[in-house]
Amino acid sequence: METIDLRSDTVSHPTPAMREAMADAAVGDDVYRDDPTVNQLEADAAAKLGKEAAVFVTSGTQGNLCALLAHCQRGEAIIIGDTSHIFVNEQGGMAQIGGLIPHTVPVQADATLRIGDLEEAIYPDDEHKPVTRLVALENTHNVAGGMPLSAEYTAEVGEFARRNGLILHIDGARIFNAAAAFGVDVKALVADADSVTFCLSKGLCAPVGSVLAGSHEFIRRARRARKVLGGSLRQAGVLAAAGLIALHDMTDRLADDHRNAQLLAEGLSEIPRLRIHSQNTNFVVFSLAPNNEIALDEFVRKLRGEYNIFVSPYSQEKGVIRLRTHYWIDRPAIAKIVKAAGAILS
Ligand code: TLP
């Protein structure tokens, strides 16, 4: 039986075109900057984001940490959403490795950080306090159920950052999903940011890798950070070859994943014992109705055991399941999921 895996978009496998490009990739030693395919990916990614330069990193986590290490000195504070991936799901690398102090502000239901909260989170110029250096946004926001942040809101935060002499970093792991959701050029979503990371390996289907982009000088420092984190690779062109296809051929099709997520939410909402919490971009978030005879864990086990459909309860919110659509989830798969969930809950 075919497996239908909705646990995350990170589970998406490389496409046949990617596997072919990987096999044929021209390579060199990237620490010498000799890998033509990595160089091409970095140049193309920078151009697509409207930034001066970019560096290929092994993961979103590594890209975010390289950014923070390149922007900040040990002992400095960064303002960050309390449910942001950098704060809750990257092992506190900023503190553990970078000696940076997170100052959290609440993430609102629409994934924004209130400007008033940001203003209050800036430490005063006082020798008892750390120096506040940076503010970070996440677009789309994972814990907020794939909610995208608009160009207008990002510009507001950019204006706040400039007014206060702060750096703006965007964890744009799924920034192309945000661009697809608003129907805008991705440049508009990152124009106000000093740096941005995005992942090639989520909805864009590459097997490995993310990109960090910003100014030439920032990327020079980020390369040093990548090196100390053990992320400088050698013949990485085999990975960058898939990344180039992700960047050029996969971003424009993300709207299909969003439409499939909508269809999935519509289908699931017809099941009386199931409650849809939200549907944004490629995310569907739901729970089982409180009067259900079946426990969430059993529902998950049955989907997997009887239908080969993989979903997982969401660790950050009890009783909730988050599904993510991606390239390998097509319309027939959507119909199968709805049918299977309906049968288990009937
Ligand atoms: N998120 C993963 C898990 O770590 C939760 C997922 O399955 O969604 N920023 C955001 C917004 C992310 O969602 C993720 C991955 C990352 C950064 C980190 O990317 P990787 O996994 O490449 O280090």
Side-chain angles (χ1 to χ4, degrees), residues 61-307:
T61 301
Q62 188 179 69
N64 285 329
L65 188 52
C66 285
L68 299 183
L69 293 177
H71 282 311
C72 308
Q73 300 292 321
R74 295 184 76 78
E76 291 182 337
I78 72 167
I79 306 173
I80 187 138
D82 58 355
T83 58
S84 65
H85 196 277
I86 292 180
F87 183 62
V88 297
N89 272 328
E90 297 183 11
Q91 238 193 68
M94 74 183 100
Q96 191 182 155
I97 295 169
L100 300 172
I101 299 147
H103 191 150
T104 59
V105 295
V107 174
Q108 304 301 317
D110 64 358
T112 61
L113 310 178
R114 285 201 188 113
I115 301 292
D117 290 342
L118 296 177
E119 302 269 8
E120 272 179 32
I122 301 175
Y123 286 116
D125 182 9
D126 175 336
E127 66 181 271
H128 299 86
K129 310 286 183 197
V131 170
T132 304
R133 184 63 66 203
L134 177 144
V135 57
L137 293 176
E138 183 175 315
N139 196 7
T140 65
H141 200 285
N142 192 333
V143 172
M147 183 73 84
L149 293 173
S150 69
E152 292 72 25
Y153 171 73
T154 310
E156 250 184 83
V157 177
E159 202 275 316
F160 154 83
R162 283 190 295 279
R163 187 164 17 99
N164 291 287
L166 301 180
I167 291 158
L168 173 59
H169 171 68
I170 298 180
D171 173 358
R174 298 182 180 82
I175 195 83
F176 288 102
N177 290 89
F182 291 116
V184 298
D185 187 321
V186 72
K187 289 187 190 78
L189 298 177
V190 301
D192 287 271
D194 297 285
S195 59
V196 56
T197 45
F198 76 90
C199 294
L200 299 160
S201 64
K202 297 191 168 59
L204 302 184
C205 276
V208 178
S210 294
V211 172
L212 170 61
S215 71
H216 285 299
E217 174 50 24
F218 164 74
I219 292 298
R220 189 189 63 75
R221 293 195 305 273
R223 278 185 196 282
R224 287 187 58 80
R226 183 185 69 163
K227 183 73 182 159
V228 78
L229 296 175
S232 302
L233 303 175
R234 302 296 177 172
Q235 287 73 36
V238 289
L239 302 175
L244 277 166
I245 293 177
L247 187 69
H248 293 302
D249 299 347
M250 303 299 281
T251 54
D252 285 346
R253 58 152 306 283
L254 291 172
D256 293 348
D257 295 341
H258 299 182
R259 270 189 293 278
N260 282 340
Q262 263 166 23
L263 284 176
L264 180 56
E266 279 163 26
L268 292 175
S269 69
E270 305 275 303
I271 302 171
R273 293 183 175 161
L274 195 149
R275 299 266 157 84
I276 298 289
H277 290 216
S278 64
Q279 192 287 301
N280 299 296
T281 58
N282 63 326
F283 285 54
V284 178
V285 184
F286 71 94
S287 62
L288 302 187
N291 58 350
N292 249 297
E293 281 154 29
I294 182 166
L296 195 75
D297 286 352
E298 199 189 338
F299 175 71
V300 170
R301 247 193 327 274
K302 281 189 175 219
L303 273 179
R304 190 172 186 137
E306 294 173 21
Y307 299 93

